[in-house]
Amino acid sequence: MKILQVLTSHDQLGNTGRKTGFWLEEGAAPYFVFRDAGVDITLASPKGGQPPIDPKSDLPDNQTPAQVRFKKDAEAIKAFANTVKLADVSAKDFDTVFYTGGHGPMWDLAEDPVSIALLEAFYDSGKPIALVCHSPGVLRHVKYKGEPLVKGKQVTGFTNGEEEEVQLTKVVPFLVEDELLRLGAIFEKKKNWEPFTITDGRLITGQNPASSTLTAQALLKLVRSAVAA
């Protein structure tokens, strides 16, 4: 099995002067789910190289087992430091794609024509796609058969309530929950910060950082069942 894991290259939190990037748990936890399953993983980002890690995601209060493991794992550190450029990958070379969240993707991946075309290529070819936390917002311009891909689908993502708790409602370019609802999705959610993932056909979405492992596991399950069939 070959999985493409996509991360942001954007490191500025709007015009606040603060740094952002990908959320470390959302990069590390899925990576280890895939690697431990013996999957061939390719990491990619718009600019290639080392994607920016949101400094807030690595604060002492936000440590997770996957993050602790990551920082002791030379193979993982090297893999993340050497992501390939998104423009250099093709959906035909992979079985599926997983989008890591964090606030960064809302600025670059959500508007990146390369990313939009890549997601459409995966979905159009009958392959599943998975996105967690803020990255379901990356689907805002992605179409399927002329309509928004998320229209009529059950989805989740970083909620308005969670964005309010981190006090970035007025900073982000759009709210994930509001945007998915605007596009005609059926948005579901649990309480703030609770693990939650939804599989609707070939679309898998996770609500927040705590949902990273669940979302990656759901993707593995879906790809394996498709292969078995």
Side-chain angles (χ1 to χ4, degrees):
M1 194 192 301
K2 292 187 174 181
I3 287 183
L4 178 66
Q5 185 173 345
V6 178
L7 304 110
T8 183
S9 292
H10 185 84
D11 70 350
Q12 296 296 315
L13 193 59
N15 57 8
T16 63
R18 286 145 56 192
K19 292 290 188 183
T20 189
F22 77 90
W23 199 261
L24 187 53
E25 164 70 4
E26 297 171 39
Y31 171 83
F32 286 127
V33 168
F34 301 144
R35 200 180 83 184
D36 291 349
V39 171
D40 184 339
I41 316 162
T42 296
L43 297 168
S45 62
K47 295 180 180 177
Q50 174 70 59
I53 297 171
D54 188 318
K56 192 172 179 183
S57 72
D58 202 23
L59 292 174
D61 287 351
N62 290 329
Q63 295 305 307
T64 65
Q67 290 177 220
V68 173
R69 178 181 173 186
F70 177 83
K71 286 178 279 192
K72 296 176 181 176
D73 192 308
E75 181 184 344
I77 291 167
K78 183 179 179 181
F80 275 77
N82 294 280
T83 67
V84 300
K85 284 189 177 178
L86 203 57
D88 294 338
V89 299
S90 171
K92 65 180 172 54
D93 297 326
F94 300 92
D95 296 298
T96 187
V97 63
F98 184 97
Y99 270 64
T100 287
H103 282 90
M106 301 185 74
W107 278 275
D108 62 353
L109 292 169
E111 308 300 330
D112 185 347
V114 173
S115 174
I116 294 162
L118 183 71
L119 283 161
E120 289 176 345
F122 270 101
Y123 205 80
D124 289 347
S125 61
K127 296 173 180 177
I129 61 175
L131 312 95
V132 71
C133 198
H134 284 88
S135 65
V138 170
L139 297 170
R140 70 189 307 213
H141 299 304
V142 177
K143 299 277 178 47
Y144 180 61
K145 296 183 176 178
E147 296 271 17
L149 186 149
V150 298
K151 186 176 180 181
K153 290 193 173 61
Q154 290 176 293
V155 300
T156 190
F158 204 63
T159 67
N160 291 354
E162 288 167 331
E163 203 68 80
E164 285 167 17
E165 275 203 41
V166 297
Q167 299 181 331
L168 293 174
T169 301
K170 299 286 193 284
V171 173
V172 290
F174 61 93
L175 294 171
V176 174
E177 179 178 342
D178 283 356
E179 185 68 2
L180 293 173
L181 286 168
R182 183 186 73 79
L183 293 166
I186 302 157
F187 192 90
E188 299 186 22
K189 57 188 175 182
K190 299 288 188 187
K191 290 179 183 175
N192 290 358
W193 317 115
E194 277 191 17
F196 182 52
T197 187
I198 295 177
T199 300
D200 187 336
R202 291 181 286 111
L203 175 62
I204 301 173
T205 47
Q207 181 173 322
N208 47 36
S211 310
S212 302
T213 295
L214 278 180
T215 307
Q217 289 169 339
L219 181 60
L220 272 186
K221 182 180 177 183
L222 190 59
V223 175
R224 282 174 173 153
S225 64
V227 170

